[in-house]
């Protein structure tokens, strides 16, 4: 979600870490090493102003440390914004493990990582991300309680995420069409994996005309027949006659090419990193008169679900909290219109405003 | 005490941190940043195999992060060896604060550093080092209990350090002269600050013939008259007719120049980093038939005193623990003679052997 800017006033080779941290006020980075297991990881705590830093652990065969460092700086900051905008008592963090997830993982390796997480005494709470699965997290959990998204705990976050996307979409409709009813609206749902399917269910119930695409033909057929949705081809998505486009799979689908084709008036979906280039395409989508619900604002049901696990709250609590995404998206869209500033920039400002206001009454942890 | 080797098999610019950690199996490095106070620091935990990592906080106006990184990697590893050889339940760590200690310190700055130390939940215990004074440590202590060397706690470590140097010197005498009595031996004590003065007191009591030098003339005069020591000029030290040379001030006084002049048969003093170049001068001193008591083995009274504060132990306990330096130095010197390996290398081996043996019965923290 954010690109780390070039550092012009300093020599990166001589100042590889803290100079980059100070750009966006990252609080701390823990570099972890264990020769016995081969574990190499970086745990980033961007901000704990709002609460402990929550964010997933990504395992990736980075070419070098600087790639991993850039990723963890960018992703941990993104989590601060996401958790802030979701109104949670959580800061932003992220961990990256440098290694090949197909060959390097073992119980000792993952438990060693868990020990490092535990050593931060709750300042960082981890969860699954790319390259890490529930079995891996169970090993991490043997060494630390600061883990969420465990099997048998809060469970599949998809219903919560889908509900947030659904209410966020309705908020966009209210501003764009004067009513938040989606009955009769043509909605294209791109990707009907867990979140997409729950979204289709809600849309169908409300009487929207739903079009779906997916690379998995079996899934597509089942969802179409179960909810009365219409199947469209992968390449038809951007050229459909539709009111609402809901990207729920791939990132970067809002780009110069697709914006020249899209005929929708709302974009609201669960995918991460929907704008190929935030600055360029965030502005372009606004100028086309399309309302874009910022991805990290509308898909925060996932972190809401994580928070419910941290605090041992019910699914009902999570669904109610996800309901607040309606008001958040409505505020973002209205402020975007009145200030003539892209929605993603407004979302960032709102996230920052909350942190600044709380930061004024609370010293950093 | 250790130089970080060149990394030949990797590109330092792309792999600035973990590649260096893996050379000597550093466990973790915490990079700390706080834009509000300007604090930039690195806390290194080299090893916690033997216990929590103890080592001082150094504040220095490093030219860049890589200088600070090299310092903290080297110094934290040195503390692992020192604490291991002292037989303490402590691992090795160190912190460096990047900044000008004359202009940048404030309560907020030092308390912020204390919060970072506290966030490591006791895995790192800090103390004073260059650029940090007792008033600074009092601020750090407001945010964390993981601090030692506080005013009003275990107090001045000099008597303990001096006692360790004294008994270590006697151990060298036993091997070199067949008796550990220092009566009648000519001893040059270079530097009569706190540790040096206590050492002079012990030597005088035992009937050694003590020569002293110092840059502070008043101190020199007082110590000379109080203990019946003989004053010599700063430049006379290396050319004296003496049995024992006790460097208790400057580092790097054992070098090619001084070794061509020194007529002693034992070098045993409290100064840090006595060998200008470990490999070159460690070998040269051995080849000259001089017994060199490795600095970090003989001056470990300081960390013994710190440990007594961590565990709330008495000065009597510390003095007794420092007494064990006799046996440690005797072992080092005997093993050096039988293996024909410089004493500093034997000291390193013994420190590593203890860590390896304990590591086999205890997983890393």
């Amino acid at each position: 979600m954010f690109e780390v800017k070039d550092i012009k006033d300093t020599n990166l080779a001589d100042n590889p870490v803290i100079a980059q941290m100070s750009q966006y006020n990252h609080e701390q980075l823990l570099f972890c090493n264990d020769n016995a297991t081969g574990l190499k990881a970086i745990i980033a705590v961007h901000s704990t102003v709002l609460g402990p830093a929550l964010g997933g652990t990504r395992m990736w065969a980075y070419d070098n440390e600087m790639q991993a460092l850039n990723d963890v700086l960018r992703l941990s900051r993104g989590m601060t914004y996401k958790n802030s905008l979701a109104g949670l008592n959580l800061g932003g963090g992220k961990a990256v493990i440098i290694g090949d997830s197909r060959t390097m993982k073992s119980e000792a390796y993952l438990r060693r990582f868990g020990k490092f997480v535990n050593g931060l005494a709750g300042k960082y709470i981890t969860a699954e991300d790319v390259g890490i699965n529930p079995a891996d997290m169970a090993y991490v959990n043997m060494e630390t309680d600061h883990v969420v998204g465990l099997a048998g705990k809060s469970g599949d976050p998809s219903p919560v995420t889908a509900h947030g996307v659904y209410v966020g979409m309705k908020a966009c409709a209210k501003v764009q069409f004067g009513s938040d009813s989606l009955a009769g609206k043509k909605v294209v749902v791109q990707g009907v994996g867990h979140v997409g399917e729950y979204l289709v269910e809600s849309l169908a119930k409300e009487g929207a005309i739903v079009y779906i695409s997916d690379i998995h033909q079996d899934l597509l057929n089942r969802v179409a027949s179960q909810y009365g949705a219409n199947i469209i081809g992968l390449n038809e998505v951007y050229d459909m006659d539709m009111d609402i486009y809901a990207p729920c799979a791939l990132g970067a689908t809002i780009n110069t090419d697709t914006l020249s084709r899209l005929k929708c008036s709302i974009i609201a979906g669960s995918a991460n990193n929907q704008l190929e280039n935030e600055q360029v395409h965030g502005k372009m989508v606004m100028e086309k008169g399309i309302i874009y619900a910022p991805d990290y604002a509308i898909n925060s049901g996932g972190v809401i679900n994580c928070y419910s696990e941290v605090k041992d709250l019910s699914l009902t609590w999570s669904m109610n909290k996800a309901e607040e995404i309606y008001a958040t998206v409505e505020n973002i869209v209205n402020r975007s219109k009145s200030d003539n500033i892209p929605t993603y920039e407004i979302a960032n400002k709102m996230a920052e405003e909350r942190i600044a206001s709380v930061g004024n009454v609370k010293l950093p942890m």
Side-chain angles (χ1 to χ4, degrees), chain A:
Chain A
M1 126 187 203
F2 301 105
E3 291 305 317
V4 172
K5 287 180 196 157
D6 285 343
I7 298 178
K8 303 256 191 282
D9 60 338
T10 187
N11 183 329
L12 197 61
D14 286 339
N15 298 284
V17 181
I18 304 178
Q20 297 203 74
M21 293 168 72
S22 69
Q23 275 193 285
Y24 295 112
N25 204 9
H26 281 79
E27 291 179 13
Q28 57 179 54
L29 291 188
L30 187 71
F31 285 75
C32 311
N33 175 66
D34 184 59
N35 288 4
T37 58
L39 178 69
K40 298 182 193 305
I42 311 173
I43 302 174
V45 171
H46 172 253
S47 171
T48 58
V49 173
L50 298 176
L54 178 125
T57 295
R58 175 171 292 190
M59 182 165 182
W60 193 257
Y62 295 100
D63 286 341
N64 57 53
E65 289 175 35
M66 289 306 275
Q67 278 189 1
L69 175 62
N70 283 332
D71 226 21
V72 84
L73 286 168
R74 184 176 60 84
L75 294 168
S76 60
R77 183 167 167 252
M79 290 308 298
T80 296
Y81 281 71
K82 185 171 203 162
N83 294 335
S84 172
L85 203 59
L88 299 170
N89 178 30
L90 291 173
K94 197 86 187 182
V96 294
I97 298 178
I98 303 172
D100 187 332
S101 64
R102 295 165 305 180
T103 58
M104 292 189 65
K105 291 190 288 193
S106 67
E107 176 175 351
Y109 183 94
L110 292 158
R111 290 180 73 153
R112 189 70 187 90
F113 177 71
K115 280 177 194 278
F116 283 120
V117 171
N118 202 50
L120 291 170
K123 202 180 284 292
Y124 170 64
I125 301 168
T126 196
E128 276 178 52
D129 196 63
V130 177
I132 297 290
N133 61 43
D136 299 335
M137 271 298 155
Y139 285 130
V140 173
N141 184 224
M142 288 180 185
E143 300 293 347
T144 184
D145 289 331
H146 306 298
V147 181
V148 291
L150 294 164
K153 290 285 184 82
S154 64
D156 179 13
S158 303
V160 182
T161 306
H163 190 60
V165 173
Y166 171 64
V167 300
M169 189 184 285
K170 287 173 75 72
C172 294
K174 189 179 175 197
V175 178
Q176 193 74 300
F177 308 131
S179 157
D180 69 9
S181 171
L182 300 174
K185 299 297 177 195
K186 293 178 192 154
V187 185
V188 172
V189 179
Q190 182 183 37
V192 288
H194 285 187
V195 175
E197 179 176 347
Y198 284 108
L199 178 62
V200 168
E201 184 181 7
S202 296
L203 293 170
K205 259 190 205 158
E206 190 167 341
I209 303 158
V210 183
Y211 300 88
I212 60 176
S213 78
D214 202 291
I215 53 170
H216 298 100
Q217 197 60 45
D218 292 352
L219 176 65
L220 201 54
N221 291 337
R222 186 190 44 82
V223 171
S225 75
Q226 193 163 341
Y227 306 103
N230 310 289
I231 293 174
I232 59 174
L234 294 171
N235 295 323
E236 289 180 79
V237 169
Y238 308 111
D239 301 304
M240 287 290 295
D241 172 28
M242 59 180 154
D243 298 299
I244 301 170
Y245 165 47
C248 295
L250 301 168
T253 62
I254 307 175
N255 54 50
T256 305
D257 170 47
T258 58
L259 282 175
S260 72
R261 296 155 63 189
L262 280 168
K263 284 177 282 287
C264 62
S265 50
I266 291 170
I267 300 176
S270 67
N272 284 316
N273 305 311
Q274 296 175 23
L275 296 169
E276 185 180 281
N277 178 310
E278 278 188 350
Q279 271 147 18
V280 174
H281 303 113
K283 188 150 181 274
M284 202 180 279
V285 76
M286 180 177 73
E287 287 168 353
K288 283 202 62 169
I290 298 173
I291 289 182
Y292 163 64
D295 45 14
Y296 79 87
I298 199 170
N299 73 10
S300 63
V303 291
I304 289 170
N305 200 61
C306 284
Y307 185 76
S308 76
E309 194 173 321
V310 173
K311 298 287 185 182
D312 203 17
L313 300 163
S314 66
L315 178 61
T316 305
W317 180 90
S318 297
M319 294 299 261
N320 287 340
K321 189 72 184 171
E323 198 97 20
E324 295 177 12
I325 292 171
Y326 186 107
T328 303
V329 171
E330 191 181 15
N331 282 342
I332 291 169
V333 172
N334 280 330
R335 196 163 148 185
S336 165
K337 280 195 180 291
S338 68
D339 296 0
N340 198 33
I341 289 173
T343 51
Y344 84 92
E345 274 191 47
I346 297 291
N348 290 355
K349 276 180 202 287
M350 285 170 56
E352 287 164 1
E353 284 163 4
R354 178 169 174 233
I355 293 164
S357 68
V358 174
N360 284 336
V361 295
K362 184 183 169 188
L363 282 169
M365 272 175 70

